[in-house]
Amino acid sequence: APYLGGAGEDLRVPGRFELLSGTPRALLDGAHNDEAFAALAAALRKSFPERRLVAVVAAARDKLHSGVFAPLAPHIAHAVAT
């Protein structure tokens, strides 16, 4: 917001598009609703345009519905659900 004078421009939130070090590389994101999954898909498209990734997904049964994962489909080669 303009009234903050750019104070939040470098803000980093752990668990939001957090690239972890190590081998294999891991990306951690706590997307939990339709808007967050859409934002994650946009970030994947921008950061990894030529790669399809392996997704490890953990969600409560009542949160699993096919629509929430749809934006991620073009970016995922394989998925493991827990």
Side-chain angles (χ1 to χ4, degrees):
Y3 56 86
L4 293 177
E9 290 177 3
D10 294 322
L11 180 66
R12 300 288 179 254
V13 179
R16 288 288 183 205
F17 211 76
E18 181 179 354
L19 190 58
L20 305 176
S21 62
T23 304
R25 296 298 301 262
L27 175 71
L28 179 64
D29 194 280
H32 62 285
N33 58 33
D34 293 343
E35 293 81 15
F37 275 94
L40 175 58
L44 289 173
R45 186 171 36 261
K46 181 178 177 185
S47 298
F48 304 101
E50 303 297 322
R51 297 187 67 186
R52 290 183 42 138
L53 309 170
V54 174
V56 178
V57 180
R61 186 178 306 228
D62 65 328
K63 300 293 183 190
L64 288 176
H65 56 87
S66 60
V68 75
F69 295 103
L72 296 179
H75 310 287
I76 304 301
H78 301 282
V80 178
T82 65

